[in-house]
Amino acid sequence: MSELTPTISKAVETGATKLLDHFKSQYGSLYFVPLGVGSKTPGEIAPIVAPAIEEQTIVAQDNQVTINVIDDKVGVVFNTFVDGFYNSLSFIGKWLMKGFDLKMTWDEYLQGLNKRKAENPESFKTWKDNLNLILQMIFDEIIIALNAQGKTVYISNWEKYFNSSKEAAEAMKIYQ
C-alpha cells in the first residue's frame, strides 16, 4: 500500500457512489434492491478496486502522477471490479447477474462489444458510453483528489497525453 492508496480508495468510493446514483436514475432504483446493491456498496468495493487501479494504471513520482488508460490494464481493473461487485451482491443478486450474463470478464466484455459493433451499432454505443462513463467518473474523482493534495496529474495511454479522462477512454484500442 502506498501513500496514495487511501486517497485513491476514497476517490473510487465517491465515483462509485455517483455512478450508482446515475444508474439508479437511468434504470430505476427498484432494479438494484433484489441485487443487494445499496448505499454501502461503493464503500465495500472501493478498497478492493483501488489497489488494482493504483497497481495497473498509476505511475507516481514526487508530486506528479500519470494515469495510464491502457486497454489491458483497464481490463485487470474491470475484472477486479466485477469480482468485487459480484461478491458484494445478495444470493439473488448473484443468481440474477449470472443468469443475465452480467458477470463477465474483460475478455467476455470485449467479445460482446465486438459482436455489438458488428451486429447492433446502437447497443455497441450503449456499451461504449457506459464503460466510458464509468472510467471517466472514476478517473475524474481520482484526479480531483490528487490535485487537492497538490499533485499534478497527467492522463496517458503510453503513446500520447490527453486533456481529459474522457479523451483517454475514447482513444482506447477496443473501440478502433
Side-chain angles (χ1 to χ4, degrees):
M1 180 161 98
S2 83
E3 68 180 50
L4 297 178
T5 304
T7 302
I8 293 170
S9 185
K10 184 62 180 161
V12 169
E13 182 178 348
T14 301
T17 299
K18 289 179 180 180
L19 285 166
L20 179 59
D21 291 343
H22 168 79
F23 287 118
K24 278 182 174 181
S25 71
Q26 183 176 349
Y27 296 111
S29 294
L30 292 179
Y31 177 78
F32 293 89
V33 172
L35 296 175
V37 176
S39 61
K40 293 182 181 180
T41 304
E44 294 170 355
I45 295 170
I48 297 165
V49 176
I53 290 172
E54 188 172 359
E55 292 168 13
Q56 296 297 317
T57 66
I58 294 187
V59 176
Q61 186 175 13
D62 301 322
N63 280 334
Q64 294 185 347
V65 176
T66 302
I67 299 173
N68 292 299
V69 182
I70 302 162
D71 294 51
D72 61 333
K73 303 293 185 181
V74 169
V76 172
V77 175
F78 179 93
N79 290 340
T80 303
F81 169 78
V82 170
D83 288 344
F85 181 70
Y86 179 80
N87 291 334
S88 77
L89 297 176
S90 66
F91 173 77
I92 294 170
K94 288 177 182 174
W95 180 78
L96 288 170
M97 196 166 170
K98 275 196 167 188
F100 288 108
D101 290 328
L102 297 174
K103 184 179 188 304
M104 63 182 80
T105 65
W106 179 247
D107 290 337
E108 292 166 335
Y109 178 82
L110 293 179
Q111 289 172 359
L113 188 67
N114 288 331
K115 181 178 180 183
R116 282 162 175 76
K117 186 176 184 180
E119 298 173 6
N120 188 341
E122 189 173 310
S123 180
F124 169 79
K125 182 179 179 337
T126 299
W127 273 40
K128 176 183 175 183
D129 289 350
N130 282 342
L131 178 61
N132 284 355
L133 175 69
I134 292 165
L135 294 174
Q136 181 182 345
M137 198 162 293
I138 296 298
F139 287 135
D140 283 353
E141 290 301 324
I142 292 170
I143 292 165
I144 290 166
L146 293 172
N147 281 328
Q149 291 186 341
K151 308 244 185 251
T152 302
V153 181
Y154 300 97
I155 306 159
S156 173
N157 66 358
W158 285 348
E159 294 173 8
K160 67 181 266 187
Y161 288 93
F162 299 96
N163 293 320
S164 69
S165 60
K166 180 179 181 185
E167 284 181 24
E170 290 174 352
M172 289 176 55
K173 290 182 168 93
I174 61 171
Y175 303 131
Q176 310 312 316

